[in-house]
């Protein structure tokens, strides 16, 4: 359920803004998820024994993909609010565009990460590893954007009719 909500909200923001920066953020979330799934296949640590709909989940648990990606969201959004110029499609109010998003996304991300343990899908170390991965991945991806990839984003954005 969380996946559907987060994906729908992300797609809505991307379609509303038509921003290269938001598209880059989304690409980062996808890459974060894919790289965590590769790590899971390498580490091969089983999940806690939980039966869902009469079946045991067969995927691996270390690190937690949900925890990694939602932590990436929280960290990247916080960095973007602190350091990036506002896109014209976002509200000009600093309270709405700079302060409110981190105040919403950080507690939400924390709750989602911990819920993976409450629901029995992961252990504390699996969620901790996912959170650590998201906290590592977000600033690296952000640094690539501010380090020059944003120039390509501007070129692409200028080609899109408004």
């Amino acid at each position: 359920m969380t996946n559907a909500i987060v994906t729908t909200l992300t797609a809505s923001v991307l379609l509303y803004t038509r921003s290269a920066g938001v598209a880059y953020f989304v690409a980062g979330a996808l890459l974060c998820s894919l790289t965590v799934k590769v790590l899971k296949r390498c580490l091969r640590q089983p999940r806690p024994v939980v039966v869902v709909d009469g079946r045991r989940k067969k995927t691996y648990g270390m690190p937690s993909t949900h925890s990694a990606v939602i932590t990436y969201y929280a960290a990247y959004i916080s960095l973007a609010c602190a350091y990036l110029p506002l896109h014209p499609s976002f509200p000009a109010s600093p309270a709405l565009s700079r302060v409110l998003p981190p105040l919403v996304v950080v507690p939400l991300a924390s709750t989602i990460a911990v819920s993976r343990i409450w629901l029995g899908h992961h252990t504390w170390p699996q969620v901790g590893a996912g959170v650590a991965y998201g906290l590592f991945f977000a600033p690296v991806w952000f640094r690539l954007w501010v380090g020059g990839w944003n120039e390509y984003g501007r070129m692409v954005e200028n080609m899109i009719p408004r």
Side-chain angles (χ1 to χ4, degrees):
M1 181 69 162
T2 306
N3 279 346
I5 294 168
V6 172
T7 302
T8 301
L9 289 173
T10 304
S12 299
V13 170
L14 178 58
L15 291 171
Y16 173 75
T17 63
R18 294 192 291 172
S19 160
V22 174
Y24 179 79
F25 162 76
V26 171
L30 292 171
L31 187 60
C32 182
S33 177
L34 290 172
T35 55
V36 166
K37 288 178 189 296
V38 169
L39 268 176
K40 279 185 179 196
R41 296 200 93 185
C42 293
L43 298 173
R44 302 173 63 90
Q45 187 183 84
R47 293 173 178 267
V49 177
V50 174
V51 177
V52 179
D53 297 327
R55 291 175 289 174
R56 182 169 188 236
K57 212 161 183 186
K58 293 181 181 177
T59 58
Y60 298 110
M62 173 67 89
S64 164
T65 306
H66 276 80
S67 299
V69 175
I70 203 65
T71 302
Y72 162 83
Y73 265 74
Y76 194 98
I77 288 170
S78 297
L79 289 166
C81 288
Y83 298 109
L84 293 181
L86 281 179
H87 190 270
S89 62
F90 288 122
S93 164
L96 288 176
S97 294
R98 301 247 182 236
V99 178
L100 187 61
L103 287 177
V104 170
V105 77
V106 170
L108 182 63
S110 302
T111 303
I112 290 169
V114 172
S115 79
R116 305 306 293 165
I117 298 160
W118 297 336
L119 296 170
H121 295 295
H122 292 284
T123 63
W124 279 104
Q126 291 169 347
V127 169
V131 168
Y133 191 86
L135 287 173
F136 165 78
F137 192 88
V140 169
W141 194 247
F142 184 81
R143 182 69 187 115
L144 290 171
W145 181 253
V146 298
W149 288 12
N150 58 345
E151 294 301 322
Y152 298 110
R154 278 193 205 98
M155 289 188 310
V156 169
E157 214 169 274
N158 289 333
M159 291 188 281
I160 299 172
R162 294 272 170 193

